[in-house]
Amino acid sequence: MLASGKSARTVSSYDWSASALGDPTGWPQPLRVAADLMFNTPLPMLLAWGEQQIVLCNEAYGALAGPGFSRVPGGSVPAVLPPPFAAAGEALTQARRGEAACVTGAAVNFGAGGERFDLYFTPVGVDGVLCALGTASEASPAAEEPGTLSILVVEDNLDSQYLVCEMLKAFGYEADGVAHPDDALARLAANHYHVLFTDVSLPGMSGVDLARQAREQYPHLKVIFASGYGDMLLRHLDFPYQSLQKPYELDQLQDALGKVASQLRAGA
């Protein structure tokens, strides 16, 4: 179903003419954004949409599920619930009510014996549920002491901000997003965050100046920069930070947050 090339990154990478969803130019914006997120993520993922429960999946899920899901990304109404949904129990119902949920160590049967996965469910608008499958573990980094990481995402590109926040929530983190440094400072004053994840280029104030001011007021705050300009603007900072070069992969962000979690556990 690939329109061109071998690697799908967005909905436009596929031919949807035979799908129940039709031309993606007519899709609701939440569906397009969530689908782009799913196709651009290395984790196996499913997306259920609408009253018919039309199901889409990414190539990572197709490879995991086997020949029955060879026509990735799908866009069809399944005869039976996909195995991760069947194993979800109340978590899927909770997500359909608009509440994020997760199931740890769920037994998911793809036909060759049960495997165990951590399942993360994220509501998409009022019509969809996104499901990410992670390697089963006794405790994910976000669930270990000193508690779930709380992250403030500062990104003036609203589509990017939404994608990052929703994926962080799907991974079990707490995440809020703002577009302007002034809003970021107001959020920091009103809530406790472990991590400031900010773009370097922002309106009104650079992400570097925002981080410097935030660290002066909240010394505990860990800082991760996202920059399209390399580290040139970050060379002379007098506080610890991590930086990701745009465009970054989600596993790079996960690694950076894992380091933060380790630092906080060591401090605790």
Side-chain angles (χ1 to χ4, degrees):
M1 290 184 65
L2 280 176
S4 62
K6 295 182 179 180
S7 179
R9 305 301 287 178
T10 68
V11 294
S12 60
S13 302
Y14 290 103
D15 175 10
W16 295 89
S17 59
S19 164
L21 293 168
D23 187 345
T25 59
W27 292 7
Q29 183 67 10
L31 173 58
R32 279 190 62 97
V33 171
D36 281 348
L37 183 154
M38 179 176 69
F39 295 138
N40 210 20
T41 300
L43 286 177
M45 299 185 77
L46 289 168
L47 174 61
W49 183 261
E51 293 183 1
Q52 293 178 281
Q53 291 301 299
I54 297 171
V55 174
L56 298 76
C57 62
N58 62 7
E59 292 183 345
Y61 181 84
L64 181 66
F69 287 82
S70 61
R71 295 191 69 213
V72 177
S76 60
V77 180
V80 296
L81 279 177
F85 290 170
E90 176 61 25
L92 179 59
T93 302
Q94 182 177 332
R96 285 174 174 160
R97 292 197 301 261
E99 305 171 22
C102 68
V103 180
T104 58
V108 181
N109 186 1
F110 287 114
E115 298 181 65
R116 291 197 175 273
F117 296 90
D118 292 342
L119 306 176
Y120 302 91
F121 295 89
T122 303
V124 178
V126 296
D127 295 309
V129 173
L130 190 64
C131 174
L133 285 71
T135 302
S137 58
E138 293 184 2
S140 65
E144 295 176 3
E145 293 296 334
T148 300
L149 285 182
S150 182
I151 305 159
L152 180 61
V153 177
V154 190
E155 169 61 71
D156 59 332
N157 182 307
L158 297 183
D159 286 342
S160 296
Q161 179 196 122
Y162 175 84
L163 289 173
V164 172
C165 287
E166 290 305 302
M167 183 50 62
L168 290 174
K169 292 174 184 176
F171 286 150
Y173 299 105
E174 296 176 359
D176 295 320
V178 295
H180 196 280
D182 290 344
D183 295 330
L185 292 172
R187 285 291 188 101
L188 289 169
N191 302 283
H192 177 83
Y193 293 97
H194 298 102
V195 182
L196 175 66
F197 178 51
T198 179
D199 193 4
V200 169
S201 178
L202 293 171
M205 178 192 301
S206 74
V208 174
D209 290 337
L210 168 63
R212 182 180 291 111
Q213 184 171 338
R215 283 274 305 181
E216 289 175 354
Q217 298 179 46
Y218 314 102
H220 72 277
L221 197 64
K222 307 299 183 183
V223 176
I224 303 174
F225 291 109
S227 173
Y229 305 98
D231 287 342
M232 183 174 58
L233 300 176
L234 309 176
R235 290 177 179 171
H236 304 296
L237 293 182
D238 56 358
F239 56 82
Y241 66 89
Q242 297 183 69
S243 66
L244 302 177
Q245 177 68 32
K246 288 185 173 182
Y248 56 84
E249 298 290 341
L250 285 171
D251 58 350
Q252 293 176 300
L253 178 55
Q254 276 283 78
D255 288 344
L257 292 171
K259 292 178 183 178
V260 169
S262 297
Q263 292 168 2
L264 291 175
R265 287 195 298 272

